[in-house]
Amino acid sequence: MTQSVVISSLRWVMLMALQIVVLNNIYLGGVFNPWVYVLIILSLPIEFSPLAVLLTGFFTGFTLDLFTHTIGMHTMSLTLLAFLRPKILALITPRDGFDFGSSVNVRDLGWRKYAVYALLLIFSHHLVLFSLEAFSSGLFWLAVQKTFLNTLLTFVLILIIQSFTAIKEKA
Amino acid sequence: MRKLIQVILTHYVFGLFLILELIGFLMLVRFNTYHQISYLSWLNEVTGGWNTRVSNLTQHFDLVGDNAVLAEENAQLREKLAISYLNVSNQFNPWIDTIYHQSFLYREAQVINNQLNQQDNFLMINKGSISGIKTGMGVINSNGIVGVVTDVSEHYAVVMSVLNSKFRLGVRLRNQEYFGLLNWNGKDLNHGTLVNIQRFVTVRKSDSVETLGASGIFPVGLHVGKVDSILALEESNTWEIQIALSANLQQTKHVYVMENIFKEEIIELEEATK
């Protein structure tokens, strides 16, 4: 348990740094704007209680809001993601539960299950985020368009990040 | 009771989720200018719609009084029609009037919310930007001045009432050259305060007070009220005059929003001299 908290904290710092320092400066074509920091919540250990996940989501979103000067937007969207995570995780749990010591990543869950899990959560997060960014019914379709494109982009980037960390853990 | 506690305990994560989202939303509309403005104008539309419903329900009770007021005003307007004038001159009068040009347009509106219990009172009326209402337009009723439009959404507008501590209007005593500033002391709903009139001016009780028309919001010479009591201010050598306002804002239902056709010209000229 202590070990998993330490790993989660390290992941928190590194992903936040990646998001704030690198990815926030990428805004390709006014549309592509990936939010890879959601991986922080996606990768939290399975044994974390729903309450702990929810609070982590709230404070992570608020912290990012402070850096992006969009107080409330990431707080609301990441809180929703953190609230939904235990419910989506329950959907893909095998009948006899996860193996002891398994983590929430592509390697331990398998491609198909992880894709369902990650895409659903990223989509819900992005939909709320881009809707709040638009905040008017006239811009709704632009928000939906951005949601779909960036869900895919964030997902691909998360897979790339996981391919690196998997190698590290094996070594 | 035990069941209630059980329900709370099993769903506390969901409850906390709702609370956290609410906190997030409040922060969103508090700290982001764009979101704050969108949220407030949306709220304006919603509360406006609600106030319309309440007003529709209650306005029937005031119909008798309203009719009397409107009938009286109709009578006054009839008096001003060309048909009410007798031509006593022998000369031919051309119909095309080259001396007088219409300056003010009137739009009828109804008050749907009228707050009078605060230091800064506002009214809401049921016409907005779609009907051509703009901020800075004057609002009157059949008896006197009501206020100035300060905020406009699509279908509603907010009017800063004369009974607002921030309201200022240049007014003058009828038939005299001297003008002062009308404001509100924040207490008496029927009285305004006129300041900056010098002590050498002779002021009598029940003298008429009318608009100065300086800023182009109201026309010149619109009736505002009557002098009620006069107090000498020793230190500034001016009068402080209490004015009985003629508008009677407590019972105002029908108002007219005034558009000055020459307002832009006035503003342009004012800015050119700055």
Side-chain angles (χ1 to χ4, degrees), chain B:
Chain B
M1 191 63 199
R2 190 178 293 166
K3 261 193 177 166
L4 184 71
I5 293 170
Q6 227 163 19
V7 167
I8 292 171
L9 282 180
T10 46
H11 294 284
Y12 73 101
V13 176
F14 181 65
L16 186 64
F17 162 68
L18 290 182
I19 291 169
L20 293 179
E21 289 286 11
L22 185 69
I23 293 171
F25 185 74
L26 293 178
M27 290 195 298
L28 184 79
V29 295
R30 173 68 185 80
F31 295 112
N32 300 289
T33 317
Y34 167 67
H35 293 89
Q36 191 173 19
I37 290 168
S38 318
Y39 173 69
L40 287 181
S41 84
W42 173 80
L43 209 63
N44 203 0
E45 282 289 307
V46 171
T47 53
W50 175 250
N51 286 334
T52 312
R53 254 175 247 169
V54 174
S55 173
N56 283 347
L57 203 69
T58 54
Q59 69 179 348
H60 298 287
F61 302 112
D62 307 321
L63 278 179
V64 178
D66 287 345
N67 282 340
V69 172
L70 291 175
E72 196 179 318
E73 191 178 15
N74 277 340
Q76 285 175 7
L77 292 176
R78 266 173 196 282
E79 286 173 3
K80 292 180 183 164
L81 285 176
I83 203 170
S84 322
Y85 288 85
L86 183 67
N87 189 352
V88 289
S89 110
N90 293 326
Q91 288 164 340
F92 174 72
N93 287 326
W95 281 107
I96 300 163
D97 195 337
T98 53
I99 298 172
Y100 293 99
H101 190 291
Q102 180 147 31
S103 166
F104 280 91
L105 298 178
Y106 293 71
R107 282 190 191 81
E108 178 274 334
Q110 282 186 35
V111 176
I112 52 171
N113 189 20
N114 190 0
Q115 281 186 347
L116 288 169
N117 52 2
Q118 292 172 5
Q119 281 283 304
D120 297 327
N121 293 305
F122 290 93
L123 308 106
M124 194 182 258
I125 58 175
N126 67 347
K127 293 270 164 71
S129 58
I130 283 180
S131 314
I133 310 288
K134 297 188 193 94
T135 54
M137 285 185 178
V139 179
I140 61 168
N141 62 14
S142 32
N143 298 320
I145 60 168
V146 172
V148 174
V149 177
T150 53
D151 207 355
V152 179
S153 69
E154 272 188 9
H155 302 97
Y156 303 98
V158 175
V159 179
M160 181 194 275
S161 157
V162 177
L163 307 180
N164 187 310
S165 67
K166 295 191 181 66
F167 188 88
R168 298 281 182 282
L169 185 71
V171 294
R172 68 180 180 193
L173 296 158
R174 180 160 288 173
N175 302 327
Q176 298 205 45
E177 297 290 319
Y178 307 103
F179 60 88
L181 211 56
L182 175 73
N183 56 26
W184 188 51
N185 62 11
K187 289 175 217 149
D188 190 343
L189 292 179
N190 297 316
H191 288 85
T193 310
L194 173 57
V195 292
N196 287 359
I197 297 271
Q198 294 293 321
R199 282 277 292 281
F200 60 78
V201 181
T202 329
V203 184
R204 269 178 251 90
K205 202 178 166 188
S206 77
D207 272 358
S208 265
V209 176
E210 60 186 25
T211 53
L212 190 61
S215 50
I217 296 172
F218 296 106
V220 183
L222 200 65
H223 187 59
V224 173
K226 282 192 159 80
V227 173
D228 195 47
S229 65
I230 309 152
L231 183 75
L233 293 182
E234 295 298 337
E235 66 269 25
S236 61
N237 208 26
T238 56
W239 300 114
E240 188 186 272
I241 304 165
Q242 293 297 319
I243 296 177
L245 297 170
S246 58
N248 191 8
L249 267 78
Q250 291 161 79
Q251 286 173 6
T252 297
K253 281 276 172 233
H254 300 274
V255 294
Y256 301 95
V257 184
M258 314 183 70
E259 176 176 7
N260 189 349
I261 298 170
F262 298 112
K263 181 86 186 269
E264 277 179 19
E265 199 176 319
I266 292 172
I267 291 171
E268 258 175 42
L269 194 61
E270 272 177 352
E271 283 186 357
T273 51
K274 264 176 199 167

